[in-house]
Amino acid sequence: TYHCDIPFAVNEKNGSLCHERDFKSLALAIEEMLQHKVLQAKSIAARKTIEEFFNWQKLKPLYHQVILGE
């Protein structure tokens, strides 16, 4: 959903977003993801997002700053 920080990690390129309790949009998103080409493209984009933004080498300094105050 568009709730909280989810859109920071998920977008229309690497996944699907819908409003909370919008079951029609959720069903449409699931149907879309069942298409092989869509699933393949979004999976590749999701992997790139993880590698670019959520790897330990990039997150480690942030954790140190927040937890250790460094």
Side-chain angles (χ1 to χ4, degrees):
T1 66
Y2 290 101
H3 181 79
C4 201
D5 289 337
I6 294 171
F8 178 71
V10 178
N11 56 51
E12 294 300 324
K13 189 174 184 180
N14 65 17
S16 295
L17 291 168
C18 57
H19 294 284
E20 293 180 55
R21 296 179 184 87
D22 185 351
F23 302 110
K24 282 187 176 184
S25 290
L26 179 59
L28 290 172
I30 291 170
E31 285 180 354
E32 178 187 36
M33 292 293 271
L34 292 174
Q35 298 174 33
H36 178 72
K37 288 184 180 184
V38 172
L39 180 60
Q40 184 178 28
K42 290 187 181 215
S43 295
I44 290 168
R47 175 67 187 218
K48 288 180 183 178
T49 299
I50 297 301
E51 289 173 349
E52 185 175 350
F53 298 107
F54 301 101
N55 70 66
W56 179 242
Q57 295 305 317
K58 291 198 177 195
L59 292 176
K60 183 179 176 181
L62 296 172
Y63 279 103
H64 277 253
Q65 182 180 15
V66 170
I67 295 170
L68 303 175
E70 296 178 359

